[in-house]
Amino acid sequence: MMRSIQITDMLPYFRPGGRFGVDVAGGKGRHASVITYRYGNMFFILEHSKYISNIDLKEKLKHFSNESGGLPIFIDDNGIGAAILSELRQLGYRNVFGTGCNERSASDSLYFDKRTRMYGYLSDVIKLGHEERIIHIPHRLSSVKTILLQECPYIYKAYTDEGKAIVINKSKNAHISPDCIDALSYTYADVTKDMHRMELELQSRTKR
């Protein structure tokens, strides 16, 4: 199990434009609850645990929200995540949103649903060859490369009859659940095509 990042590690990166992505464990043993954070082309895994309670997870989210000045937090709003989202909203946290993974857009010519679009945007960043540089845990850089190598094979992509990409998560038949990849992709929940294009262009310029 990875160590949790201390709040002092993150303060320099809590800036406007940053986003949190949260995947909540379903309680089946091999799933982990994960909190991630993205600022531009930098990704952080803040929490990764199979044993954290939902109460403690909610407290961590409140803490990160307060310390970040209310930056948006996107939570998988299926199952238990929906309950945590609802509880935080009732407590007055208006910066907490659902990912809407299953929402479909007839006007999107590339992706069947929002879940696939978020995976697609994360995949675009990895394809640019930035994963060693932009996704990291302070003092544990190698851990994230291990996560990507372990989890990515359990993300499958297919295509509909209309030619739209669709993600098929076959982790039910695998020993590893792609929880970190899920949480990282949620940081793209509110990102439009134009926003994504501008972020990729910026990353390409800074890589030179």
Side-chain angles (χ1 to χ4, degrees), residues 67-96:
E67 292 295 331
S68 70
L71 291 174
I73 299 173
F74 294 94
I75 304 175
D76 179 12
D77 47 0
N78 292 312
I80 298 174
I84 291 178
L85 171 64
S86 177
E87 290 174 12
L88 289 171
R89 293 299 295 267
Q90 290 176 15
L91 291 171
Y93 288 87
R94 300 305 175 192
N95 59 317
V96 182

Side-chain angles (χ1 to χ4, degrees), residues 139-152:
H139 316 303
R140 293 290 298 277
L141 295 181
S142 61
S143 297
V144 177
K145 284 195 67 177
T146 301
I147 288 169
L148 291 174
L149 291 172
Q150 286 179 335
E151 293 190 359
C152 283

Side-chain angles (χ1 to χ4, degrees), residues 91-104:
L91 291 171
Y93 288 87
R94 300 305 175 192
N95 59 317
V96 182
F97 307 95
T99 59
C101 284
N102 297 323
E103 294 177 8
R104 300 179 185 179

Side-chain angles (χ1 to χ4, degrees), residues 167-186:
V167 163
I168 303 172
N169 188 336
K170 296 186 176 180
S171 63
K172 291 181 180 179
N173 300 318
H175 298 294
I176 296 174
S177 178
D179 304 309
C180 288
I181 299 293
D182 282 345
L184 287 170
S185 73
Y186 297 157

Side-chain angles (χ1 to χ4, degrees), residues 101-105 111-117 165-166:
C101 284
N102 297 323
E103 294 177 8
R104 300 179 185 179
S105 175
Y111 303 111
F112 177 73
D113 54 18
K114 195 171 180 180
R115 174 184 175 85
T116 307
R117 188 180 72 198
I166 180 171

